[in-house]
């Protein structure tokens, strides 16, 4: 998996609360049994003028030339709430988003991010608003810097510290594959499995 | 030490704690459906990985199957066939139990699992579907995951999970006639916001929850995820045990006795401490309906569209966006809002008790002219039961379409939908923008409210339409 250490990039604000995974990738855009080919459908309901169409809505932030190449999103509380579809993360990644900065995330979405090398970065609402206000003046020149090992976002000369679970941080920084990692504990799992079978036989 | 129900379940499944804050949790059962399971299964195959304990993995076709009679693999959703075929192939090759399209046990995953006795108290159960929390109503630890996590669970029978906090909501008092579990949960989310239980495993308790039957408890837990909870949970009691007895996958004989003895220990200790606790008085509760584009936009059906939640500019903007989409004005009465469609279905409210309640309202009445009304039973067994009771006749006589089971128009996947700007009153759980179709406007409510509104052609208070009501 792609590692996440330092990242500097254009940040696009979508400052609304409760951006749900239906909005991030509408179900109608999930056409194939695949993790690929989803970037085009990212935010389709807002990005395009017509449902199912590809006629670009120039008012949507990711369509504005000053936000070209955006790789960071700034958003409101509870980003990624709703449906568990991992397609939301696959679509963001394919579009080129490496991190979402918001005051809070849907729990399943945040897990999905970690499993795919995308950083769900929690800052409080004022900090997100301050970064957005700074970025908006000149998005291409004013690019926040995210330093994951140091747990800091740098914007407008201010250093914002953020919290992240040690396990999540390690997965991202080292680009680990969770299944392979767990398989290194195989004997413990097998022991547990056998003991549980003994103790709760009706489960088996 | 005193423990909450959640803590007991967690402890029983804790394989290992790691220094970096993640616990390795043992997973007893996995459910997959064709929409997300197909990807997990094909990705597993591509990586050459094998399912550990395929006998504990179940798979159902529900999300994008058609609900018309004589349905086939060819769906109204373009490319739907690919998902169905990939799932069937993946499930068969991995040796999983599959409830296929033509199986009499087919239905919506969270309806089928309890119906078959697959979910049981004390089990951990995961599914790549956010409404897996529904199944917590039986005292299992059941939660929704992503596809990558599903692969992890399939291969290792474990998941790495951050231990959530604990929260309890006690619903006290007695529900008035015509007020249901759906109204309880909508009220809760409306009052405390869509992020009200973020980061918490949420136990529902109190006299009003104890009084609910198991199906209504599932409705309550179903929307725990709309409250941002890690999962919803209700301690098993005699009703739970009676519900499970004799179901196909429930233990039998001596095993049943062992299981029952264990299940009875699965309660929060009286002196257990929760990180957060709320109490809701149900005595005054009225039927609820949503007026916006988030489940937190819920209010009593007798109320008016409220103002912003707080005083910030963001709160005002959120309100304006929601109202622009839904086409209602601040201060407008909810009752009397004309509807185009009525939908009874989904894992929230399409079990037999939901259909009986709706039928009580519909019996001898007709759906208002111009309203399109559809009933999609939660499973083929629910459908068969309803037909045995003659409920299908009540629905069709009233003017409802009577369908085969599936998720249907609970969500829009590119196939059938309600149509642009159509106003739908719906027993489902999400009123997000375009959830039920492009630009479709959704109002969430109970089966009684949906049935009554279908008759009236507008959002109405169901209490007037129930037998003995004052209409
Ligand atoms: S009925 Fe709706 S909410 Fe339930 S599993 Fe199906 S799509 Fe999801």
């Amino acid at each position: 998996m792609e590692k996440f250490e330092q990242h500097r990039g254009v940040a696009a604000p979508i400052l609304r609360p409760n951006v749900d995974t239906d909005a991030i990738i509408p179900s109608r855009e999930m056409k194939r049994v695949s993790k690929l080919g989803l970037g085009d459908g990212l935010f389709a309901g807002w990005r395009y003028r017509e449902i199912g169409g590809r006629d670009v809505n120039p008012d949507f932030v990711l369509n504005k030339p000053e936000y070209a190449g955006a790789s960071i999103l700034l958003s409101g509380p509870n980003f990624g709430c709703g449906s568990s579809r991992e397609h939301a993360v696959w679509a963001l990644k394919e579009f080129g988003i490496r991190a979402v900065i918001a005051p809070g995330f849907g729990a399943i979405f945040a897990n999905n991010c970690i499993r795919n090398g995308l950083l769900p970065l929690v800052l409080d609402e004022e900090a997100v608003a301050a970064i957005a206000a700074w970025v908006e003046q000149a998005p291409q020149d004013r690019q926040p810097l995210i330093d994951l090992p140091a747990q800091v976002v740098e914007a407008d000369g201010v250093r914002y510290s953020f919290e992240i679970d040690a396990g999540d941080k390690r997965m991202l920084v080292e680009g680990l594959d969770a299944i392979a990692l767990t398989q290194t504990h195989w004997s413990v799992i097998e022991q547990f499995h056998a003991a549980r079978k003994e103790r709760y036989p009706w489960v088996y | 030490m005193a423990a909450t129900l959640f803590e007991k379940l967690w402890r029983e499944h804790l394989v290992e704690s790691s220094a970096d804050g993640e616990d390795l949790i043992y997973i007893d059962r996995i459910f997959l459906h064709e929409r997300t399971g197909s990807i997990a299964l094909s990705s597993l195959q591509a990586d050459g990985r094998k399912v550990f304990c395929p006998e504990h993995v179940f798979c159902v076709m529900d999300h994008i199957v058609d609900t018309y009679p004589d349905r086939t693999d060819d769906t109204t959703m373009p490319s739907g066939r690919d998902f169905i075929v990939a799932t069937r192939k993946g499930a068969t090759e991995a040796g999983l139990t599959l409830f296929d399209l033509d199986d009499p046990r087919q239905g919506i995953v969270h309806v089928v699992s309890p119906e078959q006795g697959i979910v049981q108290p004390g089990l951990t159960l995961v599914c790549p579907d956010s409404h897996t929390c529904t199944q917590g109503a039986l005292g299992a630890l059941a939660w929704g995951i992503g596809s990558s996590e599903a692969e992890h669970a399939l291969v290792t029978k474990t998941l790495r999970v951050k231990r959530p906090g604990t929260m309890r909501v006690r619903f006290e008092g007695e529900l008035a006639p015509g007020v249901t579990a759906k109204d309880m949960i909508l009220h809760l989310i409306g009052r405390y916001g869509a992020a009200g239980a973020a980061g918490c495993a949420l136990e529902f308790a109190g006299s009003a929850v104890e009084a609910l039957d198991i199906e209504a408890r599932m409705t309550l837990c179903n929307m725990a995820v709309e409250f941002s909870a890690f999962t919803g949970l209700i301690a098993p009691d005699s009703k739970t045990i009676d519900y499970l007895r004799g179901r196909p996958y429930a233990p039998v004989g001596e095993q049943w006795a062992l299981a029952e003895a264990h299940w009875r220990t699965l309660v929060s200790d009286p002196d257990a401490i929760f990180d957060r606790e709320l109490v809701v008085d149900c005595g005054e509760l009225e039927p609820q309906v949503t007026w916006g584009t988030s489940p937190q936009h819920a209010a009593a059906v007798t109320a008016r569209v409220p103002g912003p939640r707080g005083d910030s500019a963001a709160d005002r903007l959120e309100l304006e966006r929601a109202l622009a989409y839904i086409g209602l004005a601040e201060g407008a009465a909810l009752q009397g809002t004309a509807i185009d469609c009525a939908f009874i279905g989904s894992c929230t409210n399409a079990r037999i008790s939901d259909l009986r309640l709706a039928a009580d309202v519909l019996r001898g009445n007709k759906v208002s002219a111009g309203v399109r009304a559809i009933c999609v039973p939660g499973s083929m067994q629910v459908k068969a039961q309803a037909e045995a009771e003659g409920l299908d006749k009540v629905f069709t006589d009233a003017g409802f379409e009577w369908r085969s089971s599936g998720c249907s128009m609970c969500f829009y996947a590119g196939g059938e939908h309600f149509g642009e700007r159509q106003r739908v009153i719906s027993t489902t759980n999400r009123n997000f923008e375009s959830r039920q179709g492009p630009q479709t406007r959704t109002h969430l409510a109970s089966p009684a409210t949906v049935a009554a509104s279908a008759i009236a052609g507008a959002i109405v208070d169901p209490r007037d339409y129930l037998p003995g009501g004052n209409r």
Side-chain angles (χ1 to χ4, degrees):
Chain A
M1 209 178 60
E2 195 179 354
K3 293 183 184 179
F4 193 113
E5 291 168 296
Q6 282 82 20
H7 178 77
R8 187 191 290 281
V10 174
I14 305 181
L15 292 183
R16 49 196 284 184
N18 302 320
V19 172
D20 58 75
T21 52
D22 280 58
I24 299 170
I25 181 87
S27 195
R28 60 177 182 276
E29 297 287 344
M30 294 154 46
K31 296 177 188 130
R32 295 191 305 146
V33 185
S34 170
K35 303 178 180 180
L36 303 174
L38 293 159
D40 207 36
L42 180 73
F43 293 121
W46 299 337
R47 218 164 121 204
Y48 307 116
R49 282 182 206 264
E50 304 262 322
I51 295 281
R54 286 293 180 264
D55 188 8
V56 167
N57 165 18
D59 297 332
F60 183 61
V61 62
L62 293 177
N63 291 331
K64 294 182 180 169
E66 57 270 34
Y67 289 100
S71 58
I72 300 171
L73 290 184
L74 301 166
S75 194
N78 210 15
F79 186 91
C81 62
S83 156
S84 65
R85 61 185 66 155
E86 197 159 325
H87 306 70
V89 173
W90 299 326
L92 286 164
K93 275 220 77 178
E94 192 170 304
F95 184 84
I97 303 297
R98 298 290 334 266
V100 182
I101 305 180
F105 293 90
I108 305 174
F109 175 83
N111 271 335
N112 289 339
C113 284
I114 305 292
R115 302 286 176 255
N116 289 279
L118 199 141
L119 172 64
L121 193 160
V122 179
L123 286 184
D124 63 37
E125 226 162 328
E126 292 83 72
V128 178
I131 297 174
W134 174 71
V135 159
E136 275 164 1
Q137 308 303 314
Q140 292 293 332
D141 303 328
R142 298 185 168 188
Q143 301 188 3
L145 171 70
I146 300 169
D147 185 336
L148 178 53
Q151 295 183 214
V152 190
V153 182
E154 236 183 77
D156 195 13
V158 184
R159 288 166 62 85
Y160 301 91
S161 316
F162 62 91
E163 297 294 321
I164 183 167
D165 282 298
D168 289 351
K169 180 175 171 180
R170 188 163 153 240
M171 296 276 301
L172 288 169
V173 172
E174 297 178 24
L176 296 174
D177 173 324
I179 297 182
L181 192 65
T182 299
Q183 280 174 327
T184 62
H185 299 238
W186 195 244
S187 62
V188 189
I189 296 172
E190 273 190 318
Q191 266 171 36
F192 187 94
H193 179 67
R196 185 163 167 78
K197 214 164 169 169
E198 187 95 344
R199 182 140 183 227
Y200 305 98
W202 65 87
V203 176
Y204 295 85
Chain B
M1 217 185 78
T4 67
L5 168 58
F6 166 76
E7 286 159 349
K8 292 181 183 182
L9 295 173
W10 196 261
R11 211 154 56 195
E12 270 179 27
H13 293 87
L14 179 63
V15 178
E16 207 176 39
S17 285
S18 77
D20 52 19
E22 273 185 336
D23 288 346
L24 194 63
I25 294 295
Y26 184 86
I27 304 299
D28 292 308
R29 298 288 183 271
I30 303 172
F31 239 112
L32 302 172
H33 61 65
E34 85 282 24
R35 184 63 165 155
T36 51
S38 50
I39 298 195
L41 288 171
S42 27
S43 161
L44 214 61
Q45 276 191 327
D47 296 343
R49 286 171 161 154
K50 271 194 118 73
V51 177
F52 182 54
C53 294
E55 68 276 21
H56 293 162
V57 186
F58 298 81
C59 197
V60 66
M61 308 281 193
D62 59 0
H63 269 66
I64 48 191
V65 298
D66 281 345
T67 54
Y68 297 117
D70 305 318
R71 54 187 168 179
T72 65
D73 290 355
D74 291 310
T75 61
T76 40
M77 177 211 164
S79 79
R81 166 183 263 278
D82 300 348
F83 290 83
I84 294 173
V85 171
T87 303
R88 185 178 294 132
K89 181 170 171 287
T92 313
E93 287 175 10
L96 317 180
T97 303
L98 172 67
F99 304 126
D100 209 337
L101 208 52
D102 53 359
D103 193 304
R105 299 168 295 178
Q106 181 271 345
I108 304 168
V109 49
H110 315 303
V111 178
V112 170
S113 174
E115 193 168 75
Q116 294 300 321
I118 293 167
V119 63
Q120 296 164 17
L123 296 184
T124 47
L125 182 150
V126 294
C127 170
D129 190 282
S130 55
H131 291 102
T132 309
C133 53
T134 313
Q135 304 186 41
L138 282 96
L141 191 59
W143 72 98
I145 55 175
S147 299
S148 299
E149 289 189 294
E151 289 176 46
H152 190 286
L154 287 163
V155 175
T156 69
K157 216 171 184 350
T158 64
L159 278 176
R160 308 172 156 276
V161 202
K162 262 160 277 168
R163 182 195 169 116
T166 56
M167 178 169 175
R168 176 162 65 182
V169 174
R170 284 191 288 130
F171 287 100
E172 300 293 357
E174 215 175 304
L175 292 176
V179 183
T180 68
K182 181 65 159 289
D183 304 303
M184 290 162 72
I185 189 70
L186 283 175
H187 169 74
L188 182 71
I189 300 169
R191 179 147 151 212
Y192 295 99
C200 290
L202 172 59
E203 180 174 344
F204 294 109
S207 56
V209 173
E210 284 160 27
L212 294 176
D213 63 31
I214 299 300
E215 296 195 351
R217 293 179 188 181
M218 291 188 218
T219 303
L220 201 57
C221 288
N222 177 268
M223 292 190 69
V225 68
E226 262 60 65
F227 200 37
S228 296
F230 170 78
T231 187
L233 200 55
I234 295 175
D237 59 9
S238 298
K239 286 184 188 174
T240 319
I241 289 164
D242 291 341
Y243 174 91
L244 279 169
R245 194 176 283 115
R247 300 210 173 244
Y249 288 89
V252 287
E254 200 184 313
Q255 296 292 315
W256 171 269
L258 283 173
E260 186 181 334
H262 179 62
W263 295 347
R264 296 219 179 249
T265 68
L266 298 175
V267 290
S268 288
D269 294 330
D271 45 349
I273 296 170
F274 290 80
D275 298 333
R276 296 171 63 198
E277 201 147 11
L278 294 174
V279 181
V280 177
D281 175 14
C282 289
E284 303 284 290
L285 194 62
E286 294 193 84
Q288 306 281 306
V289 66
T290 63
W291 49 264
T293 54
S294 160
Q296 75 182 11
H297 300 149
V301 65
T302 52
R304 293 174 175 276
V305 175
R309 290 189 83 79
D311 325 313
S312 73
D315 288 325
R316 159 85 18 218
L317 198 63
E318 190 221 349
L319 177 80
E320 282 169 5
R321 267 198 188 114
L323 293 183
Y325 181 88
I326 208 84
L328 289 178
E330 201 175 326
L334 290 169
Q335 274 198 89
T337 305
I339 53 154
D340 304 301
C341 313
F343 183 73
I344 296 178
S346 88
C347 56
T348 321
N349 275 131
R351 287 169 286 267
I352 190 69
S353 53
D354 300 313
L355 270 44
R356 286 181 188 140
L357 177 61
D360 282 345
V361 173
L362 292 174
R363 206 166 274 119
N365 287 304
K366 290 267 180 249
V367 169
S368 173
V371 169
R372 183 172 180 216
I374 299 171
C375 178
V376 185
S379 72
M380 291 308 273
Q381 289 205 359
V382 169
K383 182 175 190 234
Q385 177 65 29
E387 288 172 357
E389 296 176 20
L391 302 184
D392 57 322
K393 281 282 289 168
V394 177
F395 279 97
T396 51
D397 286 351
F400 265 78
E401 291 175 41
W402 180 251
R403 299 286 190 92
S404 289
S405 183
C407 295
S408 182
M409 280 183 274
C410 171
F411 83 120
Y412 171 57
E416 205 186 1
H417 62 84
F418 283 109
E420 253 181 64
R421 275 178 260 286
Q422 293 291 290
R423 191 178 296 287
V424 187
I425 186 141
S426 178
T427 66
T428 52
N429 47 37
R430 289 193 174 136
N431 52 348
F432 299 160
E433 289 182 16
S434 299
R435 168 82 181 177
Q436 293 191 293
Q439 307 298 318
T440 300
R441 297 155 164 173
T442 301
H443 296 270
L444 306 175
S446 78
T449 306
V450 171
S453 304
I455 298 168
I459 297 175
V460 292
D461 188 333
R463 291 171 294 191
D464 299 337
Y465 288 74
L466 279 160
N470 52 21
R471 184 177 67 119

